[in-house]
């Protein structure tokens, strides 16, 4: 009876937000594993420089995220999403003319700006159309669409890149993006009360009380940043026949965890979910780095997916529960800044580690950082959250 009495989650608007999110994320992640392959194999760029190209978009995100949160708290989230998403799709055409590392960095930086504004407005719009009683569950399913896209995108990309070309891959991304724009146009956004402009302060761009959680978040997000760009190259090095299979198991793990993780968070088990997720990811990365066979490769992908699928909606809920109602955009942008900074560090530092050391060293470091994140969470982040939470 308790489940039946809950308000409806899967409204048409919620479906549209989730599908648009999937198409946007999938189109973007078609390029994640293919750019390192393309610039090293076709352009002859050194492996140690791949991190610079990959991280440039994440660096742009860190500049735009805080302002994105402020804008979506003040203006129409649907209109912002439509404009940002349209610009995001147009920038894909820039890759056709990116023939040097510098041009790739510029295009990726511009893509990061539009991606940042699109994801903040999309995720905040998703929260608007989800009943408050099912918020963590709704965030979890919404995030599943993005995370599955982050898995399916690279899997499709590796096949298209090897069978066709990088240029064909770009046209596929553009087509997905255009479908996403149509889906956004179909969203019926709820009416919001008029918000008066407030004096600008740091807390309108960054959720200051969430600093300890933000620093904690960087550690597992660094580990996440090493997956998309380097797994295809790692699989090739350790003689895995089709490295894209990793992303299938990764996606499966994310989907499996999202079925139950959001519900556990809504029932008050947020700390157990976060600590368990970090432990699962740490162990999985350790296996991934040290055991070189197809079974371990796939099993690690599955459990890395399970761990991150549990962790990300729980971390995001921490920020939301610390924020006032009129700071949802700020809370989301703070979470996403932490995600992006960790991602950028994983890509940037990962490029140097794989260029001068090895892929195994990179993934062992990722495992160690996840272990450290457990200690930080239990002895610091958890206590700060319990002291400052509003709901």
């Amino acid at each position: 009876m308790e489940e039946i009495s809950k308000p409806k989650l899967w409204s048409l608007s919620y479906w549209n937000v989730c599908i648009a999110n999937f198409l946007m994320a999938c189109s973007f992640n078609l390029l994640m594993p293919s750019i390192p392959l393309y610039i090293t194999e076709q352009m002859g760029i050194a492996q140690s420089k791949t991190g610079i190209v990959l991280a440039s978009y994440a660096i742009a995100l860190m500049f735009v995220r805080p302002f994105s949160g402020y804008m979506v708290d003040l203006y129409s989230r649907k209109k912002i999403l439509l404009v940002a998403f349209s610009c995001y799709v147009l920038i894909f055409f820039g890759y056709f003319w990116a023939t040097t590392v510098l041009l790739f960095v510029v295009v990726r930086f511009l893509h990061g700006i539009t991606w940042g504004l699109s994801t903040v407005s999309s995720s905040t719009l998703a929260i608007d159309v989800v009943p408050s009683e099912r918020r963590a569950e709704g965030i979890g399913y919404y995030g599943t669409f993005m995370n599955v896209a982050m898995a399916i995108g690279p899997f499709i990309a590796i096949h298209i890149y090897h069978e066709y070309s990088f240029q064909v891959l770009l046209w596929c991304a553009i087509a997905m993006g255009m479908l996403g724009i149509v889906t956004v146009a179909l969203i019926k956004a709820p009416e919001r009360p008029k918000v008066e402009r407030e004096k600008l302060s740091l807390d309108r761009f960054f959720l200051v009380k969430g600093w300890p959680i933000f620093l904690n978040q960087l550690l597992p997000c660094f580990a996440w940043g090493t997956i998309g760009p380097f797994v295809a190259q790692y699989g090739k090095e350790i003689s895995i026949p089709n490295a894209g299979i990793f992303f299938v198991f990764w996606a499966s793990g994310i989907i499996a965890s999202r079925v139950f993780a959001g519900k556990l968070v809504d029932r008050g088990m947020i700390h157990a979910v976060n600590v368990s997720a970090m432990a699962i990811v740490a162990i999985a990365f350790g296996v991934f780095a040290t055991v070189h066979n197809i079974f371990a490769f796939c099993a690690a992908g599955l459990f890395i997916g399970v761990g991150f699928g549990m962790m990300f909606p729980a971390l995001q809920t921490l920020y939301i529960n610390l924020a006032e109602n009129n700071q949802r955009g700020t809370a989301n942008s703070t979470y996403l800044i932490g995600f992006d900074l960790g991602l950028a560090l994983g890509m940037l530092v990962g490029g140097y580690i794989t260029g001068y050391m090895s892929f195994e060293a990179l993934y062992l470091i990722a495992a160690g950082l996840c272990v450290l994140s457990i200690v930080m969470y239990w002895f610091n982040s958890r206590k700060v959250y319990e002291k400052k939470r509003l709901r």
Side-chain angles (χ1 to χ4, degrees):
M1 291 296 292
E2 183 181 346
E3 293 293 324
I4 296 174
S5 63
K6 285 185 177 181
K8 183 179 178 181
L9 174 63
W10 294 97
S11 64
L12 183 59
S13 290
Y14 182 63
W15 269 112
N16 285 331
V17 172
C18 289
I19 292 170
N21 183 43
F22 172 80
L23 290 167
M24 178 172 61
C26 197
S27 64
F28 191 81
N29 284 281
L30 286 177
L31 304 188
M32 192 61 73
S34 54
I35 285 180
L37 292 170
Y38 179 70
I39 64 176
T40 54
E41 295 177 358
Q42 304 298 322
M43 297 175 61
I45 304 300
Q47 173 67 31
S48 59
K49 293 183 179 179
T50 58
I52 299 172
V53 175
L54 293 166
S56 57
Y57 95 89
I59 293 170
L61 286 174
M62 288 183 285
F63 286 103
V64 76
R65 290 290 200 201
F67 301 100
S68 301
Y70 178 74
M71 288 175 66
V72 300
D73 279 338
L74 197 61
Y75 303 109
S76 167
R77 288 155 186 170
K78 179 179 175 180
K79 289 179 181 177
I80 291 173
L81 180 55
L82 275 172
V83 172
F85 201 170
S86 299
C87 293
Y88 155 83
V89 174
L90 287 173
I91 291 170
F92 273 107
F93 289 97
Y95 292 103
F96 288 106
W97 293 278
T99 55
T100 66
V101 170
L102 178 59
L103 288 174
F104 257 106
V105 169
V106 171
V107 174
R108 291 293 282 173
F109 188 86
L110 292 174
H111 229 169
I113 291 174
T114 54
W115 171 258
L117 189 52
S118 297
T119 49
V120 171
S121 54
S122 176
S123 61
T124 310
L125 190 57
I127 293 172
D128 285 345
V129 299
V130 168
S132 59
E133 298 91 336
R134 304 185 70 175
R135 184 169 294 146
E137 186 181 358
I139 292 171
Y141 286 123
Y142 169 85
T144 299
F145 280 81
M146 176 172 281
N147 290 330
V148 169
M150 293 176 77
I152 292 175
F155 177 70
I156 297 171
I158 292 170
H159 174 76
I160 295 174
Y161 174 81
H162 287 301
E163 295 297 323
Y164 300 97
S165 68
F166 184 69
Q167 287 69 31
V168 171
L169 199 61
L170 291 174
W171 284 115
C172 292
I174 291 167
M176 285 184 180
M178 292 176 70
L179 284 174
I181 292 171
V182 173
T183 309
V184 171
L186 297 174
I187 296 170
K188 291 185 178 179
E191 289 290 329
R192 296 171 56 217
K194 190 174 180 181
V195 179
E196 292 187 8
R197 296 179 183 227
E198 301 176 8
K199 284 187 176 181
L200 296 184
S201 64
L202 178 61
D203 207 40
R204 295 308 302 155
F205 299 103
F206 186 93
L207 194 66
V208 177
K209 65 171 72 173
W211 259 114
I213 296 166
F214 177 85
L215 295 174
N216 198 162
Q217 181 187 348
L218 294 180
L219 302 179
C221 286
F222 176 100
W224 176 273
T226 66
I227 298 171
F230 303 116
V231 162
Q233 291 177 301
Y234 180 47
K236 186 177 180 180
E237 183 180 278
I238 62 175
S239 303
I240 299 298
N242 180 9
I245 194 66
F246 175 94
F247 298 104
V248 175
F249 281 87
W250 189 34
S252 300
I254 291 169
I255 294 169
S257 65
R258 290 297 174 86
V259 170
F260 63 86
K263 293 180 180 179
L264 292 176
V265 171
D266 283 336
R267 291 171 185 167
M269 300 174 66
I270 193 166
H271 301 312
V273 169
N274 273 320
V275 171
S276 299
M278 292 170 189
I280 290 169
V281 171
I283 294 169
F285 268 114
V287 172
F288 192 55
T290 56
V291 185
H292 298 161
N293 59 56
I294 188 66
F295 176 78
F297 194 78
C298 295
L302 177 68
F303 284 100
I304 288 172
V306 168
F308 280 124
M310 293 169 62
M311 190 192 312
F312 287 149
L315 285 173
Q316 189 174 10
T317 302
L318 292 178
Y319 289 107
I320 293 169
N321 288 347
L322 287 173
E324 302 287 350
N325 287 335
N326 66 345
Q327 286 186 303
R328 286 180 183 174
T330 305
N332 271 321
S333 67
T334 304
Y335 162 76
L336 291 168
I337 291 168
F339 181 87
D340 299 331
L341 179 56
L343 189 71
L345 291 171
M347 293 175 181
L348 187 61
V349 178
Y352 284 102
I353 293 174
T354 56
Y356 294 107
M357 295 173 66
S358 66
F359 289 102
E360 287 88 348
L362 174 62
Y363 291 120
L364 282 174
I365 290 170
L369 290 176
C370 289
V371 172
L372 181 59
S373 72
I374 298 172
V375 178
M376 285 183 64
Y377 185 88
W378 191 256
F379 292 103
N380 189 24
S381 301
R382 176 179 63 92
K383 294 179 179 179
V384 170
Y385 173 76
E386 290 300 332
K387 182 179 180 180
K388 298 184 178 180
R389 63 185 296 185
L390 299 179
R391 58 186 70 84

